[in-house]
């Protein structure tokens, strides 16, 4: 009776596979068992055994490996015997927190970066570079095994193969010519700062790859920055541990605030609700508001991880960024999010510039700028976003998400240019009406930010297309219509400059 009742309440999983539905029902049964003050729930164990059996069959048929929380195999099945002893504790902790076990392992691993950073400061800071590389390698590998079990060999193998390629091809004529043709221009100032003067050792590459402050969720940093860290240059007091405890603590506390927001709000706005009959039955305005709130809350899971890992980097010294114009020490070289800009900007470009900063800078430096030979910024931007979509994966949702970003950013740029050139619109933005306009801007901004990220999170076309149908493709219609209307609005709202006709005639005669 309990399973039947749960099945009737679980409309969001009626369209899912039997395996996922059984898993969800089993989780519900376990929660109910815990909340029933010790009263046994008949049938729970039978459903649990059936779920495990179905899960094993599905896994064997598909030959899946555990690479994310969405895959069916439990990470504890892949752990070595020494770590399986901790599996029951992790399962109980995940049940207590009402969260997936892989997610709990991930957040614990991110938090463990702080003890590792303190150990580095206290015990290894003054050791040789070899000892420091070994510490970073083994601490990072421990976190990798804790999360991925035996599947850690994937990353290990990638590091070894990349090192061999670097050793075998790093100084060949083919490598030099390929680099010259691809880059087209001389090294920029930023590239000169991160350029390596010699080929790193295998141990150095391992320490860089498995550094506990960036291995799991970032931030990205150059090998040159890691070398400066190991050589004790990344400090406000050269040769001594940095005075970075307070800056690291600030980012850590801010990360905990973001994590609390997501922990409280995330279960209230899950991705799975989009696929339910209940969501489709809601009025149009409700669906739009849900998308707005969903994206705002769910982005905090990324922000929380980035802030916490940024604190780890600051504590170890990797976050040091020299002095600013006022002579104050900066600790933002590993900053991956600008919190104030993210929270206050009403612009899509503002959110892009404040979110996943290091990855955006990497793509701008190594992809967008190297496409300058195309001779068209718009085309370079399009190919850059195509690269990002393929980089994330081959799901159709990634292509739709980044194509929407291309459309939205270009419409926003044209709108900003129109407002800047129109005296009427400029006066309105500087009038007492601006607070009202700001609220409207923020509403449009976060509504269509969520609209764009729905396919990014739902991956496959059968899922995101269902959501887009439910909101009548409002995002595509809004921005495509704006793209067509903006040129006519410019003709109406932007006064023509005096003498422009005469100047054009003269230019034609010349």
């Amino acid at each position: 009776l309990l399973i039947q009742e749960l099945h009737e309440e679980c409309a969001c999983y009626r369209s899912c596979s039997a395996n996922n539905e059984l898993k969800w029902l089993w989780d519900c049964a376990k929660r109910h068992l815990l909340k029933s003050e010790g009263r046994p729930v008949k049938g729970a164990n039978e459903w649990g055994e059936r779920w495990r059996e179905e899960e094993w069959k599905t896994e064997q048929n598909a030959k899946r490996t555990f690479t994310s929380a969405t895959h069916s195999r439990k990470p504890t099945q892949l752990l070595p015997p020494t770590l399986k002893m901790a599996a029951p504790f992790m399962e109980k902790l995940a049940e207590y927190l009402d969260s997936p076990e892989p997610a709990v392992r991930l957040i614990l691993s991110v938090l463990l970066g702080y003890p590792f950073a303190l150990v580095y400061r206290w015990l290894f800071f003054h050791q040789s570079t070899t000892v420091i590389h070994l510490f970073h390698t083994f601490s990072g590998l421990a976190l990798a095994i804790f999360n991925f079990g035996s599947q850690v060999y994937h990353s290990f193998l990638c590091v070894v193969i990349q090192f061999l390629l670097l050793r075998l091809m790093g100084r060949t004529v083919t490598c030099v010519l390929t680099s010259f043709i691809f880059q087209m221009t001389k090294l920029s100032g930023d590239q000169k700062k991160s350029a390596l003067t010699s080929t790193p050792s295998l141990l150095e590459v391992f320490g860089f790859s498995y550094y506990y402050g960036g291995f799991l969720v970032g931030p990205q940093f150059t090998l040159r920055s890691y070398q400066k860290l190991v050589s004790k240059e990344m400090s406000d007091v050269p040769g001594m541990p940095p005075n970075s405890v307070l800056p690291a603590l600030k980012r850590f506390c801010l990360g905990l605030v973001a994590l609390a927001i997501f922990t409280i709000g995330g279960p209230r706005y899950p991705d799975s609700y989009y696929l339910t009959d209940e969501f489709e039955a809601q009025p149009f305005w409700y669906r739009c508001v849900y998308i707005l709130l969903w994206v705002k809350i769910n982005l905090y899971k990324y922000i929380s991880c980035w802030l916490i890992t940024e604190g780890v980097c600051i504590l170890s010294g990797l976050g040091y960024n020299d002095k600013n114009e006022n002579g104050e020490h900066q600790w933002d070289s590993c900053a991956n999010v600008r919190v104030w800009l993210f929270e206050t900007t009403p612009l899509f470009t503002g959110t892009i510039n404040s979110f996943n900063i290091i990855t955006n800078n990497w793509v701008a430096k190594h992809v967008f700028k190297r496409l300058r030979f195309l001779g068209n910024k718009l085309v370079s931007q399009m190919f850059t976003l195509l690269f990002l979509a393929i980089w994330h994966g081959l799901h159709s949702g990634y292509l739709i998400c980044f194509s929407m970003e291309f459309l939205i950013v270009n419409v926003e740029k044209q709108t900003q240019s129109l407002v800047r050139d129109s005296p009427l619109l400029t006066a309105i933005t500087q009038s007492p009406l601006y607070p009202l306009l700001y609220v409207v801007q923020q509403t449009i901004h976060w509504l269509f930010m969520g609209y764009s990220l729905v396919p990014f999170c739902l991956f496959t076309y059968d899922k995101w297309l269902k959501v887009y149908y439910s909101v009548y493709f409002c995002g595509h219609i809004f921005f495509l219509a704006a793209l067509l209307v903006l040129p006519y609005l410019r003709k109406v709202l932007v006064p023509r400059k005096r003498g422009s006709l005469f100047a054009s005639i003269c230019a034609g005669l010349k």
Side-chain angles (χ1 to χ4, degrees):
L1 292 177
L2 170 65
I3 299 299
Q4 182 179 359
E5 181 182 353
L6 290 172
H7 184 274
E8 292 173 355
E9 294 177 358
C10 180
C12 64
Y13 279 85
R14 288 178 182 172
S15 60
C16 299
S17 66
N19 180 50
N20 289 334
E21 185 174 4
L22 289 170
K23 180 182 183 300
W24 192 90
L25 291 172
W26 170 236
D27 289 341
C28 288
K30 287 195 294 184
R31 292 193 198 100
H32 185 84
L33 182 62
L34 293 173
K35 295 178 182 178
S36 62
E37 298 180 356
R39 290 184 290 108
V41 181
K42 185 177 181 180
N45 290 330
E46 289 78 6
W47 279 90
E49 292 301 324
R50 184 180 170 188
W51 163 52
R52 294 189 185 94
E53 182 180 354
E54 292 293 332
E55 182 185 43
W56 174 255
K57 290 180 180 178
T58 302
E59 182 184 27
Q60 290 301 309
N61 292 335
K63 295 183 179 179
R64 296 175 179 173
T65 58
F66 175 74
T67 56
S68 69
T70 56
H71 287 183
S72 50
R73 190 173 185 177
K74 290 184 177 181
T76 54
Q77 293 174 303
L78 298 169
L79 294 176
T82 53
L83 288 180
K84 282 188 177 181
M85 296 174 62
F89 170 76
M90 293 304 305
E91 290 180 359
K92 292 180 180 179
L93 182 61
E95 285 184 2
Y96 177 77
L97 297 175
D98 197 20
S99 300
E101 186 180 332
V104 175
R105 287 178 178 270
L106 176 62
I107 194 62
L108 286 178
S109 302
V110 171
L111 292 173
L112 281 172
Y114 286 89
F116 286 152
L118 290 174
V119 170
Y120 165 70
R121 290 169 60 98
W122 294 338
L123 300 180
F124 294 98
F125 187 86
H126 295 289
Q127 298 294 326
S128 65
T129 56
T130 300
V131 175
I132 296 175
H133 292 323
L134 287 171
F135 171 69
H136 289 157
T137 300
F138 284 109
S139 59
L141 277 173
L143 294 178
I145 294 172
F146 179 66
N147 282 271
F148 309 122
S150 60
Q151 300 301 314
V152 73
Y153 78 86
H154 289 291
S155 63
F156 190 90
L157 188 62
C158 283
V159 174
V160 174
I161 291 177
Q162 187 60 50
F163 173 78
L164 292 175
L165 291 175
L166 188 64
R167 279 289 185 180
L168 297 175
M169 298 184 61
R171 297 184 181 182
T172 61
V173 177
T174 303
C175 183
V176 173
L177 291 176
T178 304
S179 300
F180 176 77
I181 294 172
F182 184 62
Q183 295 188 37
M184 300 299 290
T185 59
K186 62 181 181 181
L187 290 175
S188 66
D190 291 337
Q191 289 172 331
K192 288 180 179 179
K193 291 180 180 179
S194 59
L196 300 177
T197 57
S198 61
T199 304
S201 65
L202 179 60
L203 182 59
E204 194 172 15
V205 174
F206 268 118
F208 164 71
S209 302
Y210 286 108
Y211 169 71
Y212 46 82
F215 167 67
L216 288 170
V217 296
Q220 296 178 356
F221 49 89
T222 64
L223 179 54
R224 181 64 189 133
S225 296
Y226 175 76
Q227 289 175 336
K228 292 172 67 177
L229 170 69
V230 175
S231 60
K232 306 170 184 60
E233 299 177 38
M234 301 288 279
S235 175
D236 55 339
V237 185
M240 297 295 293
N243 299 309
S244 57
V245 176
L246 185 58
L249 185 61
K250 290 180 179 178
R251 305 310 278 180
F252 172 70
C253 293
L254 196 56
L256 289 184
V257 172
L259 182 61
I261 294 174
F262 172 70
T263 302
I264 296 172
R268 290 177 171 80
Y269 296 94
D271 304 351
S272 57
Y273 186 66
Y274 284 124
L275 307 178
T276 65
D277 296 333
E278 183 181 350
F279 179 78
E280 289 187 356
Q282 300 290 353
F284 174 73
W285 67 265
Y286 182 92
R287 283 173 258 164
C288 292
V289 171
Y290 185 89
I291 290 175
L292 186 152
L293 296 175
W294 165 81
V295 68
K296 184 67 175 176
I297 290 174
N298 278 270
L299 286 180
Y300 281 114
K301 67 183 174 183
Y302 303 103
I303 293 175
S304 62
C305 288
W306 289 336
L307 288 172
I308 293 173
T309 54
E310 182 189 349
V312 174
C313 295
I314 293 173
L315 188 60
S316 65
L318 191 62
Y320 184 64
N321 197 19
D322 296 325
K323 296 181 180 180
N324 58 17
E325 297 176 354
N326 299 324
E328 300 171 340
H329 294 288
Q330 301 179 103
W331 302 95
D332 59 353
S333 67
C334 292
N336 211 21
V337 59
R338 297 187 182 98
V339 179
W340 180 254
L341 179 61
F342 176 83
E343 295 295 343
T344 59
T345 180
L347 304 174
F348 291 93
T349 50
T351 299
I352 294 171
N353 292 332
S354 66
F355 189 84
N356 207 3
I357 300 169
I358 297 179
T359 300
N360 291 338
N361 291 340
W362 184 90
V363 172
K365 182 191 302 182
H366 296 284
V367 181
F368 180 76
K369 290 183 178 180
R370 291 178 177 178
L371 294 174
R372 65 180 64 182
F373 67 90
L374 296 174
N376 188 304
K377 284 188 176 182
L378 206 62
V379 176
S380 298
Q381 181 190 10
M382 181 180 66
F383 277 105
T384 300
L385 292 174
L386 178 62
F387 166 80
L388 279 174
I390 297 174
W391 185 25
H392 280 85
L394 298 179
H395 291 297
S396 60
Y398 296 134
L399 292 172
I400 296 300
C401 173
F402 288 103
S403 65
M404 280 299 301
E405 178 181 339
F406 179 79
L407 174 63
I408 291 173
V409 167
N410 284 283
V411 168
E412 185 175 80
K413 289 181 178 179
Q414 293 186 34
T415 304
Q416 287 179 296
S417 177
L418 174 62
V419 173
R420 186 171 55 251
D421 297 339
S422 171
L424 175 61
L425 296 179
T426 301
I428 292 175
T429 57
Q430 297 174 354
S431 70
L433 292 176
Y434 181 71
L436 178 61
L437 293 176
Y438 178 79
V439 174
V440 174
Q441 270 187 292
Q442 283 284 26
T443 303
I444 294 174
H445 166 214
W446 284 111
L447 169 61
F448 293 117
M449 183 65 71
Y451 179 89
S452 303
L453 287 173
V454 162
F456 185 92
C457 295
L458 297 183
F459 305 122
T460 56
Y461 75 93
D462 57 321
K463 294 179 180 178
W464 59 257
L465 195 60
K466 182 179 181 180
V467 180
Y468 275 4
Y469 270 121
S470 69
V471 293
Y472 312 112
F473 290 87
C474 60
H476 288 82
I477 294 173
F478 181 86
F479 286 101
L480 288 174
L483 193 65
L484 297 175
V485 170
L486 281 172
Y488 297 98
L489 290 178
R490 172 169 283 278
K491 292 181 179 180
V492 174
L493 298 175
V494 178
R496 299 187 65 182
K497 296 180 180 179
R498 293 183 179 180
S500 59
L501 179 61
F502 177 74
S504 62
I505 291 174
C506 292
L509 292 174
K510 289 181 180 179

